[in-house]
């Protein structure tokens, strides 16, 4: 069955080895005869309950702790028009209580048993819930998780929904509406995704949609998406496999077998032409340019190649655009470049925060630099050194990512969700190491020569006693 | 209530000799993963089981002992004190050189020296300019970072085990032959000023920047803030002098990773044999001089939320009632379940979250409570926080609250030692406050001994009934009326309202009569 090859992550016997040969230094000879005989696999066992719920167990007894991590394979990408923000609002409702555990006690109970890292998160593709508990209290965590999977609707009420709508709207204010460049994030999504596309209003959603959420929405969302067959439970840590299986069976095994919900894939449209949006930002003091292209979905073809483009442009110190704008021309405070794949599609961003003063000139200069550096990568690809730096950096981050139990649990979930293989690491590294400068060049040419969106945030200091509206001025480039 | 005494007694946090005992995981085979298949029923026809056992909270198993990895300590010939926690599971090494030198040491009028000079130092060396030095690290996937803090500065090095040599070559080069170029310095001054400017834009960043100057007093070493003027006074010579302070004798080196003491000594000897000199001594601090009982207000028009922060000076980290204070603060504002969060978030729906607690430094602590609250709830939120502080001071916590936080603190302790890195950081924090490395032993005993009376006593001793420093950053047009009332009622003291600009300078009360 699926299981980690070779390297047992916390086994004493096998020294974890090193990442493979060409993870060596750029410009130097490869280090000796190291064979790629060990990979960064996490040992695990995966099985499926009769009701379709997936379970992944990873055993590591070095500390008396178990990381409990459950992914429901539903996210804001599954929302329908008019219900933006609902998947995340629903996540909040999952903490409000369930039939047997009681109302609003999830955090209290976990605190009392020494639980840490208790939370839930939502993105476009999935919603996850997690906690780390002392291993002698594993069953209590399963009690909490199974009760909200099975009996959350029993305690659902208008008052707690109204409260969580307020809380989530406060969350939006705190993270988006009252901080620099919060408006930019909405403007980017609005430029890339048309009305009706589930990515258009971000995972946090629109205030008016949140306000309109009803108990019926909660009930139908729960019944459609929060079925056992749409969930994957990971237990990682100090556990005995047989005992853990028996506990999972006790708490989840008798749940009914319900149809696994279907996701409706909504592909990203092409931009017909480059669009430019200028927005006033009352909380920013520095101008910022965000150029963004549609790009491949998570782990899709060219996803890893565009990561190399991002590193070549944006790495601090040696990245081409970063060096040029921050250190040589000295017109930028910072440069960030990244490829971000989601389930349906991705986006590739170049974000330049300009230094103060003379915005118009600096904007023109930065736009020119962005165009020239992208063109150059499209024409020539990255150097071998740039590619090697990126490869070793990713390999290294996989090693560091294994240190925390929670990180391992999450990695198993992550790969399982996107590829069906919890230990996709091997394939990932194989793909990574197989990348050539020519392949990066081809990916850049395919994606970054298309029309893009350009979002310009312009500080709108409140001195003028404006009432700080978020009206976007839109115009063709 | 349940299970406090007996089970926890077995939570033996003994400092064991030897590395963590790791067992090899067993080979086992999973059944085939199956497709959920066809036999599914429509949701509305479904019966969910409701077995009687679900109504009962599971009985926990026996608590397991926590094995704390050993820490080895030794001193090098040059006076560098080394703390090493070995681990054998991952091929990584993390090192952290630590000096008692921080923002509190910035020369008078030159607040920002540590910050700017730290940035300058980690960019380059004499022979490697910024891009070359950055590329040299990336070539080996290692990182060498100078991080100046309030009262300590670290140089953090992380590397895969096999790349440690490369990482230490670069570290030694940076320490012994720092770059400190004039044009890099000039660029960093401009960047620092731009970041200061940026921090004046939003309520949360304004509040973060100003609060310490209000609660410690602007003359206190913890109360200095960087301004354009203080940055403009910094010269390259200041950075050269600052970097010269980073000497080994009296500094600490924290190491965690797959490396033995002998290997570590050899790696250091090979590169740092010429490195000698005295590290700075910790500075002494005066008592805090807060602006008692005053509400400070910074006007940010159009704010959807106000950032509120209030507080007052608190006890030192080595106070005898540290555990009682800690649990009291957890009940009041330390977690999701705390009174302040449950009140402002789960009951009122005014905030995404609200917290309170003690923030420790070597020179003392301050209590602070705060939140980002919907603008129209600003005054009411302050009043609710005041009520919660008062309730904490004047009545016993419930048995459930005590049980939750006491059991929680004891049972969560293994997470501080869950792996070698966390263990090292736990020890580092103890050493930083001058506490013994076996402190957790007595800590457990003291935690176990607490009762509701002890919690109440800590609240009476360490929470002030009045004379708080209050900072509100938000839209004056929406919030000032309620703040006027709070000042008039002297909810936090008799200091009235003082209006500040985004640099913390007094300004007249904003007027909302003219424009629309």
């Amino acid at each position: 069955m699926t299981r980690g090859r070779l390297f047992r992550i916390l086994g004493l016997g096998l020294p974890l080895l090193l990442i493979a040969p060409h993870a060596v230094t750029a410009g130097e000879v490869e280090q000796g005869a190291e064979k790629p005989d060990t990979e960064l696999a996490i040992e695990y066992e995966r099985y499926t309950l009769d009701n379709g719920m997936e379970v992944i167990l990873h055993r590591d007894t070095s500390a008396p702790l178990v990381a409990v991590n459950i992914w429901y394979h539903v996210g804001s990408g599954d929302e329908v028009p008019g219900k933006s923000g609902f998947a995340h609002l629903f996540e909040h409702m999952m903490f409000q209580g369930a039939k047997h555990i009681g109302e609003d006690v999830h955090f209290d109970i976990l605190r009392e048993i020494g639980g840490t890292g208790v939370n839930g998160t939502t993105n476009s593709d999935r919603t996850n819930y997690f906690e780390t508990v002392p291993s002698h209290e594993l069953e209590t965590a399963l009690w909490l998780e199974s009760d909200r999977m099975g009996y959350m609707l029993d305690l659902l009420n208008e008052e707690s929904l109204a409260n969580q709508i307020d809380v989530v709207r406060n969350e939006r204010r705190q993270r988006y509406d009252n901080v620099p460049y919060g408006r930019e994030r909405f403007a980017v999504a609005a430029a890339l995704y048309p009305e009706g596309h589930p990515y258009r209003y971000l995972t946090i959603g629109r205030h008016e949609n949140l306000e309109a959420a009803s108990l019926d929405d909660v009930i139908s969302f729960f019944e459609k998406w929060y079925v056992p067959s749409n969930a994957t439970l990971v237990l990682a840590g100090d556990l005995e496999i047989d005992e853990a299986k028996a506990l999972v069976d006790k708490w989840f095994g008798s749940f009914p077998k319900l149809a696994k919900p279907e996701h409706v894939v909504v592909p990203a449209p092409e931009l017909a032409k480059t669009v430019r949006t200028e927005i006033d930002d009352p909380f920013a003091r520095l101008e910022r340019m965000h150029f963004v292209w549609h790009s491949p979905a998570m782990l899709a073809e060219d996803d890893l190649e565009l990561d190399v483009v991002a590193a070549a442009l944006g790495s601090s110190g040696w990245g081409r655009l970063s060096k040029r704008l921050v250190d040589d021309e000295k017109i930028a405070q910072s440069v960030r470049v990244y490829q971000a794949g989601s389930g349906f599609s991705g986006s590739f961003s170049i974000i330049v925060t300009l230094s103060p003063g003379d915005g118009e000139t600096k904007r023109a200069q930065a736009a020119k630099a962005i165009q020239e550096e992208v063109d150059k990568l499209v024409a020539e690809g990255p150097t071998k050194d740039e590619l090697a730096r990126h490869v070793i950096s990713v390999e290294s981050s996989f090693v560091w990512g294994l240190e925390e139990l929670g990180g391992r649990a999450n990695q198993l979930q992550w790969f399982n969700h996107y590829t069906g293989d919890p230990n996709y690491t091997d394939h990932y590294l194989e793909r990574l190491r197989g990348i050539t400068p020519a392949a990066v060049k081809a990916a850049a040419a395919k994606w970054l020569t298309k029309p893009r969106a350009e979002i310009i945030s312009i500080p709108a200091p409140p001195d003028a006693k404006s009432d700080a509206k978020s009206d976007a001025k839109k115009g063709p480039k | 209530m349940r299970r406090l005494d007996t089970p926890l007694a077995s939570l033996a946090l003994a400092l064991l000799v030897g590395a963590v005992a790791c067992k090899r995981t067993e080979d086992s085979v999973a059944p085939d993963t199956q497709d959920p298949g066809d036999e599914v029923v429509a949701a509305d026809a479904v019966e969910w089981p409701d077995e009687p056992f679900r109504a009962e909270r599971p009985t926990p198993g026996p608590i397991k002992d926590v094995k704390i990895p050993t820490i080895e300590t030794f001193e090098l010939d040059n006076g560098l004190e080394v703390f090493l926690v070995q681990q054998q599971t991952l091929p990584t090494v993390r090192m952290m050189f630590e000096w008692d030198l921080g923002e509190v040491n910035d020369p008078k009028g030159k607040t920002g020296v540590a910050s700017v000079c730290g940035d300058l130092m980690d960019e380059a060396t004499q022979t490697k300019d910024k891009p070359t030095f950055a590329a040299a690290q990336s070539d080996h996937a290692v990182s060498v970072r100078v991080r100046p803090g309030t009262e300590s500065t670290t140089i953090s090095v992380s590397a895969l085990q096999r790349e440690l040599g490369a990482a230490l070559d670069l570290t030694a080069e940076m320490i012994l032959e720092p770059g400190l170029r004039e044009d890099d310095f000039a660029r960093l001054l401009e960047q620092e000023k731009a970041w200061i400017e940026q921090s004046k834009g939003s309520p949360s960043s304004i509040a973060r920047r100003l609060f310490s100057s209000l609660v410690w007093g602007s003359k206190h070493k913890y109360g200095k803030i960087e301004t354009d003027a203080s940055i403009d006074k910094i010269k390259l010579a200041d950075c050269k002098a600052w970097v010269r302070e980073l000497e080994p004798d009296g500094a600490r080196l924290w190491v965690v990773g797959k490396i033995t003491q002998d290997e570590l000594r050899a790696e250091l000897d090979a590169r740092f044999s010429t490195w000698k000199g005295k590290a700075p001594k910790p500075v002494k601090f005066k008592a805090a001089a807060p602006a008692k009982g005053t509400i400070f207000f910074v006007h940010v028009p159009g704010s959807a939320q106000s950032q509120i922060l209030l507080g007052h000076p608190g006890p030192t980290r080595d106070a005898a009632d540290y555990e009682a204070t800690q649990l009291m603060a957890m009940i009041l504002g330390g977690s999701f379940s705390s009174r302040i969060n449950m009140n402002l978030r789960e009951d009122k729906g005014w905030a995404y979250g609200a917290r309170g607690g003690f923030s420790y430094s070597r020179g003392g602590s301050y209590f602070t409570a705060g939140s980002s609250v919907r603008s129209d709830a600003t005054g009411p939120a302050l009043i609710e926080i005041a009520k919660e502080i008062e309730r904490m001071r004047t009545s016993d916590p419930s048995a459930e609250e005590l049980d939750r936080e006491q059991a929680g603190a004891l049972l969560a302790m293994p997470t501080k030692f869950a792996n070698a890195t966390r263990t090292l950081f736990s020890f580092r924090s103890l050493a930083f406050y001058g506490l013994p490395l076996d402190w957790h032993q007595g800590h457990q005993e003291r935690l176990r001994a607490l009762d509701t009376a002890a919690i109440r006593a800590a609240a009476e001793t360490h929470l002030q009934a009045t004379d708080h420093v209050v900072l509100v950053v938000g839209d004056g047009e929406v919030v000032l009326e309620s703040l006027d009332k709070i000042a008039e009622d002297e909810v936090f003291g008799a200091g009235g309202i003082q209006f500040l600009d985004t640099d913390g300078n007094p300004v007249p009360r904003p007027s909302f009569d003219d424009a629309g």
Side-chain angles (χ1 to χ4, degrees):
Chain A
M1 251 330 317
T2 16
R3 55 187 332 277
R5 285 205 323 228
L6 326 165
F7 157 52
R8 287 123 217 278
I9 204 188
L10 283 146
L12 261 189
L14 294 176
L16 160 87
L17 279 209
L18 321 185
I19 6 209
H22 45 244
V24 218
T25 5
E28 280 180 29
V29 183
E30 292 188 349
Q31 286 186 346
E34 241 171 63
K35 288 181 61 190
D37 56 352
T38 43
E39 300 291 355
L40 297 169
I42 300 169
E43 182 163 287
Y44 71 93
E45 181 172 335
R46 181 175 66 175
Y47 63 103
T48 307
L49 301 179
D50 288 344
N51 57 32
M53 187 176 107
E54 267 186 319
V55 183
I56 301 173
L57 305 175
H58 162 61
R59 183 168 178 270
D60 164 15
T61 62
S62 57
L65 297 167
V66 180
V68 178
N69 188 313
I70 186 162
W71 281 30
Y72 291 91
H73 305 282
V74 56
S76 55
D78 298 303
E79 288 164 356
V80 294
K83 307 285 183 193
S84 71
F86 192 78
H88 169 246
L89 173 62
F90 186 89
E91 174 223 305
H92 277 242
M93 296 307 294
M94 283 285 276
F95 289 90
Q96 293 301 294
K99 181 175 180 181
H100 305 97
I101 62 172
E103 192 162 9
D104 220 354
V105 293
H106 185 87
F107 284 95
D108 291 1
I109 292 171
L110 284 166
R111 175 67 192 159
E112 190 190 326
I113 65 172
T116 53
V118 183
N119 217 334
T121 72
T122 308
N123 68 20
S124 57
D125 304 333
R126 57 93 188 116
T127 311
N128 65 357
Y129 301 85
F130 46 88
E131 55 269 346
T132 297
V133 296
S135 46
H136 72 282
E137 286 280 14
L138 169 59
E139 190 171 2
T140 300
L142 297 179
W143 178 58
L144 294 170
E145 292 299 349
S146 63
D147 218 44
R148 59 182 172 181
M149 182 187 287
Y151 312 96
M152 180 264 207
L153 296 182
D154 292 69
L155 297 193
L156 180 67
N157 62 77
E158 197 70 64
E159 196 186 349
S160 85
L161 176 62
N163 170 253
Q164 288 307 307
I165 289 172
D166 282 342
V167 169
V168 169
R169 295 187 63 204
N170 289 327
E171 180 176 356
R172 177 178 152 141
R173 293 181 183 106
Q174 188 168 328
R175 292 188 167 162
Y176 298 82
D177 299 345
N178 221 37
V179 293
Y181 315 120
R183 289 168 190 197
E184 176 190 301
R185 297 168 68 177
F186 289 101
V188 165
L192 290 180
Y193 309 106
E195 201 62 69
H197 192 289
Y199 291 177
R200 184 173 173 89
Y201 296 106
L202 306 180
T203 295
I204 193 71
R206 313 173 78 184
H207 281 292
E208 53 266 48
N209 291 164
L210 291 166
E211 254 184 305
S214 70
L215 289 180
D216 283 345
D217 292 332
V218 176
I219 293 165
S220 55
F221 196 85
F222 180 80
E223 288 180 343
K224 175 168 185 186
W225 296 105
Y226 277 68
V227 292
S229 58
N230 199 37
T232 304
L233 171 70
V234 169
L235 303 179
D238 177 30
L239 49 83
E240 299 302 327
I241 298 289
D242 290 347
E243 292 171 15
K245 283 183 176 174
L247 286 176
V248 170
D249 200 51
K250 172 180 172 185
W251 292 100
F252 295 91
S254 62
F255 286 173
K257 184 174 197 170
L258 299 168
K260 190 175 169 65
E262 301 265 335
H263 297 273
V264 178
V265 175
V266 189
E270 299 250 331
L271 284 174
K273 61 182 171 74
T274 289
V275 292
R276 187 181 180 91
T277 308
E278 290 188 9
I279 48 176
D280 288 339
D281 191 327
F283 303 111
R285 291 289 178 276
L286 301 174
E287 287 198 18
R288 192 158 108 161
M289 307 167 70
H290 188 150
F291 286 18
V292 57
W293 291 257
H294 284 296
S295 72
M298 176 77 83
L299 299 177
E301 189 183 350
D302 289 340
D303 180 29
L304 276 59
E305 283 75 7
L306 286 178
D307 284 341
V308 183
V309 175
L313 289 173
S315 294
S316 175
W318 57 268
R320 298 172 181 198
L321 192 60
S322 169
K323 177 178 180 300
R324 176 166 169 180
L325 293 178
V326 176
D327 301 308
D328 296 342
E329 300 182 7
K330 299 183 176 56
I331 60 165
Q333 283 288 102
S334 66
V335 171
R336 266 180 73 210
V337 187
Y338 57 86
Q339 151 68 7
S342 290
F344 303 149
S345 62
S347 59
F348 183 92
S349 287
I350 296 180
I351 303 176
V352 177
T353 304
L354 295 174
S355 47
D358 199 10
E360 211 159 320
T361 311
K362 284 180 180 163
R363 255 181 277 154
Q365 197 178 334
K368 180 167 178 283
I370 292 170
Q371 192 63 58
E372 287 174 3
E373 297 303 337
V374 169
D375 286 349
K376 192 152 176 267
L377 267 167
V378 166
E380 299 166 11
T383 65
K384 274 174 68 183
D385 284 358
E386 288 168 331
L387 174 57
R389 279 174 207 148
H390 174 71
V391 171
I392 190 175
S393 144
V394 174
E395 290 175 329
S396 162
S397 66
F398 269 107
V399 180
W400 286 103
L402 296 175
E403 185 167 24
E404 292 283 341
L405 210 47
R408 273 176 262 153
N410 217 45
Q411 184 179 309
L412 288 166
Q413 285 280 23
W414 189 67
F415 277 138
N416 184 58
H417 176 91
Y418 287 104
T419 72
D421 175 3
N423 256 341
Y424 188 76
T425 324
D426 291 354
H427 304 284
Y428 189 96
L429 292 174
E430 216 173 282
R431 281 175 63 179
L432 179 76
R433 290 165 183 155
I435 295 175
T436 60
V440 177
K441 175 184 154 179
K446 177 173 175 189
W447 296 95
L448 304 183
T449 54
K450 291 181 179 171
R452 64 185 174 226
E454 303 178 355
I455 312 300
I456 314 297
S457 296
I458 299 181
D463 310 343
K465 189 66 200 70
S466 77
D467 58 353
K469 288 253 172 61
S470 62
D471 303 8
K473 295 170 214 144
K474 217 172 172 183
K477 192 186 159 198
Chain B
M1 312 184 296
R2 45 199 213 107
R3 76 184 120 109
L4 247 197
D5 290 329
T6 38
L8 286 175
S10 67
L11 182 71
L13 271 172
L15 294 166
L16 298 189
V17 180
V20 203
C22 299
K23 280 184 202 152
R24 241 177 95 161
T25 43
E26 287 161 16
D27 287 356
S28 50
V29 177
D32 277 329
T33 50
Q34 300 174 18
D35 213 29
D38 339 293
E39 305 165 52
V40 295
V41 269
D44 50 8
V46 166
E47 282 293 320
W48 286 72
D50 198 350
E51 304 94 333
F53 67 80
R54 295 187 186 275
E56 294 293 326
R57 179 166 158 183
T59 310
I63 295 180
K64 298 189 181 175
D65 283 355
V66 180
K67 298 163 218 149
I68 300 179
T70 314
I71 185 159
E72 300 164 55
T73 61
F74 54 97
E75 197 175 302
L76 301 184
D77 291 344
N78 62 9
L80 184 67
E81 194 181 359
V82 185
F83 301 78
L84 167 65
V85 176
Q86 293 189 41
Q87 54 89 357
Q88 298 300 327
T89 50
L90 286 180
T92 58
V93 180
R94 194 192 305 266
M95 302 175 66
M96 192 177 282
F97 298 83
E98 185 183 33
W99 286 269
D100 295 322
L101 175 75
E103 290 158 6
V104 295
N105 302 80
D106 284 353
K108 196 169 165 47
K110 295 183 177 181
T111 303
V113 162
S115 174
V116 169
C117 302
D119 285 351
L120 180 64
M121 184 183 181
D122 91 353
E123 277 192 353
T125 69
Q126 278 169 26
T127 58
K128 295 185 176 70
D129 64 7
K130 181 179 173 183
T132 310
F133 193 54
Q137 294 176 54
S138 297
D139 285 343
H140 300 272
V142 303
S143 113
V144 182
R145 294 280 174 278
V146 183
R147 298 180 202 273
T150 304
E151 51 193 342
S152 68
T153 289
T154 60
I155 293 179
S156 298
V157 183
S158 57
L160 297 179
Q161 181 195 23
R162 69 152 206 266
E163 302 287 352
L164 181 63
L168 287 175
D169 285 347
L170 295 171
T171 308
E173 188 175 329
M174 187 187 76
I175 290 176
L176 300 172
E177 301 155 29
L180 310 183
R181 290 170 176 76
E182 184 71 55
D183 56 338
D184 288 337
F185 173 72
R187 168 176 48 78
L188 283 168
L189 287 189
E190 292 310 307
Q191 288 192 306
E192 189 78 1
K193 287 192 282 184
W195 291 131
I196 292 172
E197 183 60 25
Q198 179 81 313
S199 72
K200 298 176 191 178
S202 72
S204 57
S205 59
I206 292 167
R208 259 200 311 277
R209 178 159 171 257
L210 298 185
F211 190 69
S212 63
S213 71
L214 303 173
V215 74
W216 289 105
S218 60
K219 301 269 192 285
H220 196 281
K221 286 184 193 302
Y222 291 140
K224 307 281 186 196
I225 54 174
E226 290 180 22
T227 61
D228 277 14
S230 77
I231 298 300
D232 279 337
K233 291 203 182 70
I234 302 172
K235 302 287 176 251
L236 183 58
D238 294 311
C239 286
K240 290 182 173 166
W242 187 84
V243 169
R244 275 196 300 273
E245 297 278 313
L246 303 177
E247 303 282 26
D249 187 0
R252 298 172 292 279
L253 172 60
W254 300 90
V255 184
V256 55
K258 193 165 185 189
I259 187 166
T260 65
Q261 191 179 139
D262 287 346
E263 288 164 350
L264 177 60
R265 281 179 185 274
E267 295 284 2
L268 293 171
D269 286 349
R271 296 173 180 85
F272 289 96
S273 59
T274 61
W275 193 33
K276 292 190 169 59
K278 292 270 183 214
K281 294 259 186 290
V283 300
K284 297 267 185 287
F285 298 98
K286 292 187 299 194
K292 293 178 180 177
T294 304
I295 298 171
F296 293 93
F297 181 76
V298 183
H299 178 45
V300 179
S303 298
Q305 287 179 322
S306 301
Q307 183 70 46
I308 59 177
L309 279 175
L310 59 92
H312 56 71
T316 55
R317 176 65 178 75
D318 59 0
D321 62 353
Y322 172 77
E323 284 79 10
T325 308
Q326 181 194 22
L327 289 202
M328 181 273 288
M330 286 301 294
I331 292 168
L332 177 61
S335 72
F336 188 95
S337 301
S338 69
R339 293 175 178 188
I340 290 176
N341 188 62
M342 293 307 280
N343 184 337
L344 266 55
R345 172 183 158 127
E346 296 292 288
D347 185 43
K348 307 294 192 306
W350 292 338
Y352 174 49
R355 292 289 189 274
F358 291 85
S359 176
Y360 289 92
S361 303
R362 275 181 171 162
S365 72
Y366 61 82
F367 167 77
T368 180
S371 179
S372 289
V373 295
R374 209 176 63 212
S375 292
D376 62 352
T378 304
L382 283 169
I383 289 170
E384 288 303 315
I385 292 175
K387 280 187 197 162
E388 294 297 358
I389 293 171
E390 191 56 16
R391 183 157 73 95
M392 200 76 232
R393 292 183 68 260
T394 55
S395 60
D396 285 356
S398 71
E400 288 74 21
E401 286 173 318
L402 173 65
D403 187 41
R404 183 186 75 223
E405 295 305 334
Q406 186 174 36
L410 285 162
L411 291 169
M413 218 174 293
T415 60
K416 293 184 181 175
F417 303 97
N419 56 44
T421 299
R422 288 190 187 208
T423 301
L424 187 84
F425 280 96
S426 294
F427 286 135
R428 177 173 167 242
S429 165
L430 295 175
F432 186 75
Y433 291 110
L435 299 167
L437 295 186
D438 63 357
W439 176 85
H440 284 88
Q441 205 70 268
H443 175 57
Q444 287 182 83
E445 299 308 320
R446 292 189 293 276
L447 274 176
R448 264 192 215 110
L450 295 176
D451 55 18
T452 54
I455 303 298
R456 167 97 171 260
E460 285 169 359
T461 311
H462 298 304
L463 293 177
Q464 287 179 198
T466 184
D467 284 346
H468 290 246
V469 172
V470 181
L471 174 60
V472 178
V473 186
D475 187 341
E477 199 160 5
V478 181
V479 310
L480 269 184
E481 199 179 318
S482 66
L483 294 189
D484 284 337
K485 180 78 166 58
I486 289 170
E488 193 184 308
D489 293 346
E490 301 188 3
V491 174
F492 297 97
I497 303 187
Q498 191 171 327
F499 300 90
L500 304 177
D501 67 12
T502 52
D503 274 324
N505 302 308
V507 292
R509 182 184 181 99
S511 154
F512 306 106
D513 302 333
D514 40 0

